[in-house]
Amino acid sequence: MVEIKSDAALDAMRVAGRVVADALEAARAAAAPGVRLWDLDEVARTVLREAGADSPFLGYRPSFAPTPFPAVLCVSVNDAIVHGVPDGSRLRDGDLVSVDCGALVDGWAGDAALSFTVGTARPEDQRLMDTTRRALEAGIAAAVVGARIGDISHAIGSVGRAAGYGIPEDFGGHGIGRQMHEDPAVPNEGRPHRGMILRHGLVLAIEPMFLAGGKNDYYAADDGWTLRTTDTSRAAHFEHTVAVTTEGPRVLTRA
């Protein structure tokens, strides 16, 4: 069932969204060669704790997962696309890192992600990140009253395919509100003018993820969570929680 949020609910979700933005920026600032992935998770935990927020990630266990997720932050490095489990691995100069975080404040959720390079970025990684960020902005721009879900999907997919990137088929955006994952699904590729009509108060997590090698294929790592590219090419992931409003898209997870 799709829940349409009141304006007061959108304001409440903006509070959660700011916490998510702060956690992601803190994790990015802490990332440096030699830092362990679980140190980034601890940084995000501190931000959530000091804000009085809970984590919708910690203990989350969807049907595909063999175990509950053990962290508040997904940390996906290089060929990891999404859902990376932070462990004792150390970051190295040139690593492409995607971090994904959620927060629950007063019963409302926020969810966002960003990608960055540790130290010096390779030109091809910078292009991948820039293109994925641009696809996110295109998807946000399409999230207007009277448009359809397919318009968002088409906007994202068109940017990725034009750049020659792969798009994993089974993972994309989603509705969000009192739960981190709600209806409707928001695929990262699709036909325009198809799907649910967007209304004022609909809130969506829009999250393109592109694979540099151009293939769509991925596999689940041994931890049962981390999704990796089958050709070992690198991946980037950007996400914002966005409210559809009569005044235009309202991004709830910007800093």
Side-chain angles (χ1 to χ4, degrees), residues 1-239:
M1 185 178 104
V2 176
E3 179 186 8
I4 300 300
K5 280 72 177 178
S6 67
D7 290 344
L10 299 186
D11 290 341
M13 292 186 71
R14 174 62 175 139
V15 175
R18 284 195 181 98
V19 175
V20 173
D22 289 345
L24 290 175
E25 287 302 324
R28 171 159 54 181
V35 171
R36 295 184 185 274
L37 303 191
W38 58 38
D39 294 333
L40 302 185
D41 181 67
E42 185 56 40
V43 166
R45 285 176 189 250
T46 298
V47 172
L48 266 62
R49 183 170 59 250
E50 291 180 350
D54 294 319
S55 170
F57 287 20
L58 184 63
Y60 180 60
R61 188 178 183 182
S63 59
F64 67 81
T67 59
F69 195 74
V72 306
L73 191 71
C74 296
V75 186
S76 306
V77 181
N78 295 332
D79 66 324
I81 307 165
V82 287
H83 303 162
V85 177
D87 58 17
S89 303
R90 294 184 183 273
L91 293 171
R92 297 174 296 176
D93 184 72
D95 278 344
L96 196 167
V97 183
S98 297
V99 288
D100 188 354
C101 188
L104 287 166
V105 179
D106 294 330
W108 294 102
D111 186 10
L114 56 84
S115 295
F116 57 87
T117 299
V118 176
T120 306
R122 305 189 309 182
E124 58 269 35
D125 289 344
Q126 190 63 56
R127 176 177 178 266
L128 174 63
M129 290 186 291
D130 289 346
T131 303
T132 311
R133 187 186 298 108
R134 183 158 50 87
L136 173 58
E137 295 301 329
I140 292 171
V144 296
V145 171
R148 293 178 180 267
I149 291 291
D151 296 318
I152 299 174
S153 302
H154 179 71
I156 292 171
S158 295
V159 173
R161 294 302 185 191
Y165 294 138
I167 302 174
E169 295 179 1
D170 300 323
F171 291 87
H174 50 87
I176 182 171
R178 295 189 181 278
Q179 303 294 325
M180 178 172 59
H181 289 133
E182 297 182 352
D183 291 333
V186 187
N188 284 327
E189 193 167 27
R191 299 174 62 188
H193 318 306
R194 296 287 191 274
M196 176 184 167
I197 297 175
L198 308 184
R199 297 168 51 194
H200 178 92
L202 177 66
V203 185
L204 304 170
I206 300 173
E207 52 177 324
M209 50 197 78
F210 292 163
L211 317 185
K215 297 180 179 179
N216 304 335
D217 302 326
Y218 61 88
Y219 69 96
D222 291 342
D223 61 25
W225 275 100
T226 308
L227 302 183
R228 297 187 179 276
T229 61
T230 56
D231 59 3
T232 72
S233 66
R234 294 187 171 195
H237 175 210
F238 284 85
E239 176 183 16

